[in-house]
Amino acid sequence: MDISVVSQYGISATALLISISSFVFAIRSWHQSNRPIVVAYIEEHSMGVNSATFNLVLSNTGNRPAVNVRLNARSNDIEKIFEEKIDEVTKNGIFNCFKEDSELALLKNNTSIVTSFGSFEGIYPKREGIKYDSWLPIEITYKDLRAKSYKEKIPLKVRGLKGFGGGIWSEPKKNN
């Protein structure tokens, strides 16, 4: 066989492999960018001098709806975010966020849903409620409309979002 024929077949085979690889990469990229992406975070509902109330927010930042959204956390990790003095109603409300029957049937894309997530009052070290600045590792499981499963591991921090350093003097300026 002529060497030029072999090199033509080699070039053609290489071009075919590159084309197939590009096609597979494009399909994978499309699936990664066209899916639900569910995140959770804690935000302050109200903040006072010696007290604060918090919300737990679930948000779908992806561009497809998420179904069967469920939050999971280990009981001993949840217990770590409680001050020594905490009322049972607050405790149960937080534990309820991670129960199986709290599964969310549908979370539309570009939407958020909120539930209460405890409070604290008093001056450190004699606070009651949940521990400010505590961390809670959670896992979010959900599916897309084609029943493909996703799992995200996110650490929640009990702290207000308006001041990443722990406090603010005024509202943040909005960029237009």
Side-chain angles (χ1 to χ4, degrees), residues 23-88:
F23 180 72
V24 168
F25 178 75
I27 296 266
R28 287 182 137 194
S29 296
W30 186 89
H31 282 292
Q32 282 297 322
S33 61
N34 291 288
R35 70 179 196 90
I37 301 171
V38 179
V39 296
Y41 56 93
I42 295 174
E43 68 178 6
E44 70 274 9
H45 173 259
S46 65
M47 290 283 249
V49 176
N50 295 323
S51 65
T53 57
F54 297 96
N55 286 324
L56 176 60
V57 181
L58 269 179
S59 185
N60 182 354
T61 61
N63 57 14
R64 296 281 191 258
V67 295
N68 304 109
V69 181
R70 179 138 187 258
L71 297 177
N72 302 295
R74 295 191 317 233
S75 294
N76 61 338
D77 287 337
I78 297 172
E79 290 283 345
K80 290 177 185 174
I81 70 167
F82 299 148
E83 293 285 359
E84 284 185 33
K85 290 180 78 178
I86 185 169
D87 63 275
E88 288 302 312

Side-chain angles (χ1 to χ4, degrees), residues 63-153:
N63 57 14
R64 296 281 191 258
V67 295
N68 304 109
V69 181
R70 179 138 187 258
L71 297 177
N72 302 295
R74 295 191 317 233
S75 294
N76 61 338
D77 287 337
I78 297 172
E79 290 283 345
K80 290 177 185 174
I81 70 167
F82 299 148
E83 293 285 359
E84 284 185 33
K85 290 180 78 178
I86 185 169
D87 63 275
E88 288 302 312
V89 173
T90 301
K91 253 181 144 172
N92 290 335
I94 292 172
F95 273 106
N96 285 342
C97 296
F98 303 98
K99 287 187 175 178
E100 188 175 335
D101 60 355
S102 291
E103 182 176 289
L104 189 60
L106 175 72
L107 184 58
K108 297 188 304 182
N109 50 310
N110 297 316
T111 60
S112 297
I113 189 166
V114 177
T115 191
S116 62
F117 198 74
S119 62
F120 75 81
E121 61 181 305
I123 299 172
Y124 182 79
K126 296 188 181 207
R127 282 195 182 136
E128 295 180 18
I130 59 176
K131 291 179 184 173
Y132 190 75
D133 270 344
S134 60
W135 289 91
L136 175 60
I138 68 164
E139 183 179 86
I140 307 169
T141 57
Y142 56 97
K143 295 179 181 179
D144 64 15
L145 294 175
R146 295 183 180 174
K148 182 174 180 187
S149 296
Y150 299 93
K151 187 185 296 186
E152 312 291 344
K153 291 184 179 189

